[in-house]
Amino acid sequence: MIVSISGTPGTGKTAVAKVLVKRLDANLISISKLLNELDSGWDKSRKTKIIDVKDLQKTVKKHLVKRKINIIDGHLSHLIDSDIVIILRCNPRVLEKRLNRKEWSKRKIKENVEAEILDEISAESKNACEIDTSNKKPDAVAVIIGRILKNPKKYKHLRIGNIDWSEKYKEYLKSK
């Protein structure tokens, strides 16, 4: 089984993935660690790597372990062929505080908070579940994901579209 955990930077992907790996005795595949194996370009203006999704898919495939749950952790994991995709979401104000604690540049914080408000990752995903991590510890999120893995049909209420920040934060988009 392949489970992708994606979301805007700062939503808790890595912390949740680590908890899940321990609880499920799963194989962890970290997108950020795979980047060194990819022949990628560099976007100077955004100060980020340019990733070819097909190359990423091939690289991930090399790291899959048969007969084990494979947890793919990373911002682009929702674009990888997976059995289940989990999108971690976070209230934009909480996300902004988290990214400030990481000492990100104002520009990168704004870019990622706007992506969260506009549901950018959810819009790119198919057949995924969304979980709001704003007020949840990684252990609590891992419990929810564990339940989803046991019975995905029971969690239709977590399908894409259950979290919408756009109305509440449209002023944020206008003001920054």
Side-chain angles (χ1 to χ4, degrees), residues 14 16 18 38 48 88 117 132:
T14 300
V16 170
K18 287 178 180 177
L38 298 170
T48 188
L88 301 185
I117 292 169
D132 182 356

Side-chain angles (χ1 to χ4, degrees), residues 54-65:
K54 289 180 183 177
D55 288 345
L56 180 60
Q57 177 72 48
K58 289 176 190 172
T59 303
V60 165
K61 201 171 186 176
K62 292 177 195 173
H63 293 270
L64 295 173
V65 175

Side-chain angles (χ1 to χ4, degrees), residues 4 6 84-89 122 125-132 144-145 148 152-153 155-163:
S4 289
S6 191
I84 295 179
V85 177
I86 307 290
I87 308 297
L88 301 185
R89 305 290 308 277
S122 295
S125 304
K126 299 177 197 169
N127 200 23
C129 289
E130 296 178 315
I131 301 171
D132 182 356
I144 295 167
I145 294 171
I148 293 168
K153 291 179 184 176
Y155 291 89
K156 288 183 181 181
H157 65 283
L158 295 179
R159 292 286 179 214
I160 290 174
N162 79 84
I163 300 171

Side-chain angles (χ1 to χ4, degrees):
M1 174 184 278
I2 302 171
V3 180
S4 289
I5 300 177
S6 191
T8 305
T11 56
K13 298 176 298 295
T14 300
V16 170
K18 287 178 180 177
V19 171
L20 277 173
V21 165
K22 284 182 183 175
R23 287 183 177 203
L24 303 174
D25 188 31
N27 176 46
L28 178 61
I29 300 170
S30 169
I31 297 289
S32 63
K33 289 182 181 173
L34 295 183
L35 294 180
N36 296 331
E37 296 179 36
L38 298 170
D39 184 25
S40 57
W42 182 255
D43 182 331
K44 291 178 188 174
S45 67
R46 293 179 59 228
K47 297 180 181 173
T48 188
K49 286 191 174 192
I50 300 168
I51 305 299
D52 181 296
V53 176
K54 289 180 183 177
D55 288 345
L56 180 60
Q57 177 72 48
K58 289 176 190 172
T59 303
V60 165
K61 201 171 186 176
K62 292 177 195 173
H63 293 270
L64 295 173
V65 175
K66 291 182 181 181
R67 296 191 190 101
K68 243 188 169 180
I69 295 173
N70 292 273
I71 306 287
I72 305 173
D73 160 37
H75 174 64
L76 298 174
S77 67
H78 61 284
L79 301 174
I80 301 300
D81 293 334
S82 305
D83 298 304
I84 295 179
V85 177
I86 307 290
I87 308 297
L88 301 185
R89 305 290 308 277
C90 185
N91 178 297
R93 293 285 181 215
V94 174
L95 182 64
E96 186 174 40
K97 288 176 186 174
R98 289 179 183 180
L99 296 177
N100 270 314
R101 279 195 301 267
K102 292 182 177 194
E103 298 182 356
W104 283 31
S105 72
K106 295 290 180 200
R107 183 176 176 204
K108 287 300 279 184
I109 292 170
K110 180 181 184 288
E111 178 183 335
N112 284 287
V113 169
E114 287 177 355
E116 179 64 23
I117 292 169
L118 297 172
D119 302 336
E120 188 175 298
I121 294 175
S122 295
E124 294 175 345
S125 304
K126 299 177 197 169
N127 200 23
C129 289
E130 296 178 315
I131 301 171
D132 182 356
T133 65
S134 305
N135 300 308
K136 292 181 182 73
K137 301 267 186 219
D139 285 331
V141 177
V143 167
I144 295 167
I145 294 171
R147 290 177 184 155
I148 293 168
L149 297 179
K150 285 181 183 173
N151 189 356
K153 291 179 184 176
K154 187 176 178 183
Y155 291 89
K156 288 183 181 181
H157 65 283
L158 295 179
R159 292 286 179 214
I160 290 174
N162 79 84
I163 300 171
D164 184 0
W165 310 119
S166 60
E167 193 61 36
K168 186 174 181 182
Y169 290 99
K170 66 182 173 186
E171 292 306 315
Y172 178 95
L173 295 170
K174 292 178 187 176
S175 69
K176 299 277 179 170

